[in-house]
């Protein structure tokens, strides 16, 4: 099974950002302390903004908020109703049902 449908389907389910959100990033009250960019196999870039409690995955004009999940498994895990994000080192894994997509960190903003 190809990994690319995961990102494509996830992009359709993310919430569109308004024009002002694109320029400003996340609202100040969400207080994401870390912003990282990742490159996925289809050459699409995604941005992950995160803190200890939640994360926001941004792909183009779309955004999805996920919440930190307590786990004994390696990596930081964030989840919402649609997907799970796992951050281990420079690899961001997006899981949705039995599909997985792995993206590599390109820079930390």
């Amino acid at each position: 099974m190809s990994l690319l449908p995961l990102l494509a389907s996830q992009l359709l389910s993310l919430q569109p950002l308004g024009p002002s959100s694109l320029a400003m990033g996340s609202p100040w009250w969400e207080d994401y302390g870390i912003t990282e960019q990742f490159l996925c196999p289809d050459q699409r870039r995604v941005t992950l903004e995160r803190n200890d409690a939640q994360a926001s995955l941004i792909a183009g004009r779309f955004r999805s908020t996920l919440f930190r999940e307590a786990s004994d498994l390696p990596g930081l895990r964030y989840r919402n109703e649609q997907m799970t994000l796992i951050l281990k080192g420079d690899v961001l894994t997006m899981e949705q049902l039995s599909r997985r997509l792995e993206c590599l960190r390109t820079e930390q903003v």
Side-chain angles (χ1 to χ4, degrees):
M1 176 180 291
S2 171
L3 298 176
L4 298 180
L6 172 63
L7 185 57
S9 67
Q10 186 59 34
L11 289 176
L12 294 176
S13 65
L14 298 176
Q15 300 300 314
L17 296 170
S20 62
S21 296
L22 284 174
M24 296 174 44
S26 295
W28 64 268
W29 61 85
E30 289 184 351
D31 192 26
Y32 293 114
I34 301 169
T35 301
E36 301 160 302
Q37 291 189 349
F38 296 84
L39 184 61
C40 300
D42 62 354
Q43 300 301 309
R44 229 176 244 188
R45 290 187 181 272
V46 296
T47 300
L48 181 66
E49 296 179 334
R50 63 185 174 91
N51 60 31
D52 288 335
Q54 68 185 45
S56 184
L57 179 67
I58 304 165
R61 296 183 13 194
F62 300 93
R63 173 188 304 268
S64 183
T65 300
L66 302 96
F67 296 93
R68 182 79 181 265
E69 179 179 73
S71 174
D72 292 331
L73 297 171
L76 298 176
R77 294 172 178 271
Y78 297 90
R79 178 186 301 267
N80 66 15
E81 317 74 50
Q82 300 162 350
M83 69 187 276
T84 299
L85 297 179
I86 303 164
L87 180 60
K88 287 193 288 187
D90 289 336
V91 178
L92 176 66
T93 303
M94 294 179 251
E95 295 180 344
Q96 186 176 38
L97 300 174
S98 63
R99 297 177 291 181
R100 295 172 61 109
L101 178 66
E102 291 186 347
C103 303
L104 296 176
R105 182 188 328 266
T106 58
E107 62 185 271
Q108 193 161 347
V109 181

